Amino acid sequence: MKILAIETSCDETAIAILEIKKTGSKTGFRILSNIVSSQMKLHAKWGGVVPSLAKREHIKNLPIVLKKALKEADLLKPNVNLIAVTNGPGLEPALWTGINFAKELAEKWGKPLIGVNHLEGHLFSVFLKENREFQISNFQFPIIALLVSGGHTQLVLVKDLLKYKILGETRDDAAGEAFDKVARMLNLGYPGGPAIAKTAFQYKVFARPEVLRRQKIELPRPMINSKDYDFSFSGLKTAVLYKVKELEKSDASSFRLHVPEICAEFQQAVIDVLISKTLRAAKEYKTKTIILAGGVAANKELRSQMKKTVQKSINASCFMLPASKYTGDNAAMIALAAYFRYKKMPVKKRAIKAQGNLKI
Ligand code: KG4
Ligand code: ZN
């Protein structure tokens, strides 16, 4: 079967077509097309995503992205079997554009339509690798999944296929949001995650040893020792703001010189908290499989430090994460999640609504 998926929950207009083939007991997947049209440059001017602009751009981009997706998949006729669309969580005006477009297509082509949870999409993204063809490997439940994006930071216990329990989530800013806000404070532009990661990398690699030894910026690791699995990144962001003010006051001219050190310490503070809580959850729930997904999972330091810690601390562990090109929002992950949802419960009606706060 072929699934065409549409994703418009934030600032990417994305459409992908996924083919699923069964041979014997094996199921093979192939991404026939995966088009992502980013509005990043437009929103960068405003320092963050503007919902009304996102809506306008999605409406403009959707027909173009659809054309490209069908062409890349070499499907002149829309011979797909199912249409899937993200119905939450996300920005409601943006979600509605995708849903309305999907409903029209489903009507026109006479195909069933299914709504998909964006976070469930990110979870399934761990199966998406560089290669367009892939199979789902065997893994053991329960799984601990850390979902870190611009809108969410959640630790999820995956008890079984499509069965979740949220163990903890952020009480204020999401990790990606904190990256974006701190980058804005430091005038590094939007989106903040890649900018901070790049500056922190330069600091770690190029700073002279005596500079590294003299490191004087220390930031808190909020809630790292709290007994629950919740997170809080707003205090960390404020700590950066105070540090910036303090440095500007004492030595305004050399403040820019401290920016790389602030980035490295801020990034490490976020990583320390994320890894510590994920590992504690993995131990408590005796899981050997850990998933890292969402936009922030593009962070190379987070990827490598988490991998190392998991291998060291949990015996025979399995660490799953998406290829970097699938960490951000895309529709291939929505198509894959749709396949598993549809298998469990084939849809009959088209009453899909945008739900900004939809839970996994
Ligand atoms: O999943 P995503 O594309 O969109 C949402 O669902 O929110 O995540 C976007 C977030 C942004 O906050 C962005 O700054 C962050 O992911 N991000 C990163 C990196 N690349 C993107 N954060 C840290 N390091 C990165 N390399
Ligand atoms: Zn996302």
Side-chain angles (χ1 to χ4, degrees), residues 4 55 98 140 194 244 307 344 349:
L4 180 140
K55 175 182 165 176
Q140 284 179 335
V244 168
K307 188 173 173 196
K344 191 175 166 198
K349 52 180 191 226

Side-chain angles (χ1 to χ4, degrees), residues 146 148 152-155 168-179 219-226 228-239 266 269-274 277:
L146 174 65
V148 264
H152 294 86
T153 300
Q154 283 187 347
L155 257 180
E169 57 195 326
T170 185
R171 294 185 182 175
D172 38 60
D173 291 348
E177 192 180 353
F179 268 93
L219 294 169
R221 270 68 177 153
M223 296 186 74
I224 198 163
N225 293 317
S226 71
D228 50 32
Y229 291 111
D230 281 349
F231 301 90
S232 165
F233 293 106
S234 151
L236 177 59
K237 177 192 72 190
T238 313
F266 166 76
V270 174
I271 292 176
D272 285 348
V273 178
L274 292 177
K277 297 238 164 182

Side-chain angles (χ1 to χ4, degrees), residues 173-339:
D173 291 348
E177 192 180 353
F179 268 93
D180 294 336
K181 288 180 176 169
V182 166
R184 205 180 312 165
M185 270 178 221
L186 302 175
N187 282 324
L188 293 174
Y190 175 85
I196 288 187
K198 191 172 151 203
T199 315
F201 176 77
Q202 284 164 347
Y203 175 73
K204 270 183 78 174
V205 174
F206 299 119
R208 294 192 305 277
E210 64 269 27
V211 173
L212 289 174
R213 265 199 305 276
R214 257 191 279 128
Q215 179 163 342
K216 60 175 175 188
I217 293 168
E218 273 178 30
L219 294 169
R221 270 68 177 153
M223 296 186 74
I224 198 163
N225 293 317
S226 71
K227 295 218 159 52
D228 50 32
Y229 291 111
D230 281 349
F231 301 90
S232 165
F233 293 106
S234 151
L236 177 59
K237 177 192 72 190
T238 313
V240 174
L241 183 66
Y242 285 146
K243 205 62 187 171
V244 168
K245 285 196 172 145
E246 188 190 307
L247 286 166
E248 275 177 337
K249 213 164 140 195
S250 70
D251 186 1
S253 59
S254 68
F255 162 67
R256 295 299 318 160
L257 298 176
H258 292 290
V259 167
E261 186 183 342
I262 298 175
C263 288
E265 171 65 2
F266 166 76
Q267 176 175 270
Q268 195 55 51
V270 174
I271 292 176
D272 285 348
V273 178
L274 292 177
I275 293 185
S276 158
K277 297 238 164 182
T278 308
L279 242 80
R280 194 152 56 73
K283 283 179 185 161
E284 184 180 335
Y285 290 92
K286 298 189 176 48
T287 165
K288 299 221 183 301
T289 306
I290 291 179
I291 279 178
L292 169 65
V296 182
N299 189 285
K300 287 199 182 107
E301 275 298 317
L302 173 62
R303 291 167 83 92
S304 76
Q305 290 188 30
M306 191 137 168
K307 188 173 173 196
K308 264 189 224 152
T309 320
V310 167
Q311 281 168 348
K312 209 168 68 190
S313 321
I314 307 170
N315 245 348
S317 54
C318 173
F319 180 48
M320 300 166 77
L321 76 182
S324 297
K325 68 172 177 187
Y326 294 111
T327 52
D329 292 345
N330 65 83
M333 68 184 195
I334 302 300
L336 188 58
Y339 169 72

